[in-house]
Amino acid sequence: DVSGRPWLEWMVVLPNDQDGNSSLIAVDRKTGKTVWETKRNSKVAAYSTPCVYEPKDGKKQLIFNSQAHGITGVDPATGKVLWEYTNAFDKRSVSSPVIVAGLAIGSCGSGGGGNYIVAVKPGDDAKKQPATLAWEMKKSACYVPTPVVVGDLLFSWSDGGIVTCVKGTTGEVKWQERAGGNFFGSPIVVDGRIYAISTSGEVVVVKAAETFEVLGRSQLGELTHTTPAVAGGKLYIRTLKHLVSVG
């Protein structure tokens, strides 16, 4: 019996959107026992990690991205699909969804381009309201890197090093500037600063604001395809040969 137990504390959720048989799976983190499994359609493998969405007047949901299903809201306790915007993507989804201004954001793309970002207003099953498209951004959108959110601003850091600040409520582009380099890792936000690391190992720091400002650049001297992490007041960066801790 798992009733009354906060699911975030004991559950591991596995998105298994593959070229073949696909499903969303939740397991007990201590035993590995399957709690629920939701079957999915298959198209191309998705590499997106779900995020948690908590409506102001509702229960928490898990948000998933895939080309086959678009953007989906799922009940984390049961695996029930609460809403879905199926026509979100015409290409593979690699970046993970984020929430800004009550909208679920996802992106899709390919190595050959055609990347774009979609913002969807989540559906409400109780009110029988379907999910609807809020806005799209098709110029210099991210494909592999996941966007970051600061307040009601969305920051997209594209694979080709173009950073875009978007008003989350409307999709208005506040600025779009070239930071330089190529990126596989995602940006992170620390104290109003956005950190991203290029594949050549350059750490680029940009101000998380409605005006573009590069705050600094540092060269690691090694290739890296990773996303930095922060813990205990330190920044951790994994290059191809080292783990770097910056205090």
Side-chain angles (χ1 to χ4, degrees):
D1 180 14
V2 298
S3 60
R5 295 171 63 187
W7 62 271
L8 280 172
E9 296 181 5
W10 63 271
M11 188 184 292
V12 177
V13 178
L14 309 169
N16 185 40
D17 285 303
Q18 302 293 336
D19 299 336
N21 293 332
S22 299
S23 61
L24 310 177
I25 305 168
V27 301
D28 187 303
R29 69 175 179 85
K30 291 185 177 180
T31 66
K33 180 181 178 180
T34 298
V35 180
W36 52 257
E37 182 173 2
T38 300
K39 294 298 181 182
R40 299 272 274 185
N41 297 329
S42 297
K43 190 165 286 188
V44 295
Y47 299 97
S48 180
T49 299
C51 74
V52 178
Y53 165 52
E54 187 171 11
K56 291 182 179 179
D57 56 352
K59 296 181 179 179
K60 289 185 176 72
Q61 303 175 17
L62 291 171
I63 307 299
F64 295 86
N65 288 350
S66 78
Q67 183 179 349
H69 286 266
I71 302 179
T72 308
V74 172
D75 182 346
T78 65
K80 177 186 176 182
V81 175
L82 301 175
W83 58 267
E84 192 162 84
Y85 188 78
T86 309
N87 297 323
F89 308 126
D90 63 7
K91 297 177 183 66
R92 183 191 305 277
S93 186
V94 177
S95 72
S96 298
V98 295
I99 305 296
V100 60
L103 301 176
I105 311 294
S107 77
C108 71
S110 71
N115 312 336
Y116 62 90
I117 293 173
V118 171
V120 170
K121 182 179 180 181
D124 190 322
D125 191 46
K127 298 178 181 178
K128 299 191 181 305
Q129 294 176 347
T132 56
L133 178 67
W135 52 262
E136 293 182 336
M137 190 191 88
K138 293 194 172 183
K139 181 182 178 182
S140 301
C142 56
Y143 167 42
V144 176
T146 295
V148 292
V149 174
V150 179
D152 66 350
L153 296 177
L154 177 83
F155 295 89
S156 164
W157 201 300
S158 81
D159 309 55
I162 296 177
V163 189
T164 307
C165 173
V166 182
K167 193 75 171 178
T169 51
T170 64
E172 176 192 2
V173 175
K174 306 301 291 187
W175 53 261
Q176 189 170 72
E177 302 287 347
R178 185 176 295 278
N182 296 307
F183 294 80
F184 286 145
S186 299
I188 63 169
V189 178
V190 182
D191 294 334
R193 300 176 178 89
I194 304 173
Y195 292 77
I197 308 173
S198 74
T199 56
S200 67
E202 182 181 44
V203 182
V204 184
V205 187
V206 171
K207 188 175 182 180
E210 290 192 15
T211 55
F212 177 68
E213 183 181 353
V214 176
L215 301 177
R217 296 177 183 272
S218 302
Q219 186 55 248
L220 297 171
E222 286 184 6
L223 301 180
T224 179
H225 293 170
T226 60
T227 299
V230 175
K234 290 183 171 60
L235 181 69
Y236 293 92
I237 302 168
R238 180 173 62 83
T239 67
L240 293 187
K241 295 183 178 180
H242 294 86
L243 176 64
V244 180
S245 173
V246 182

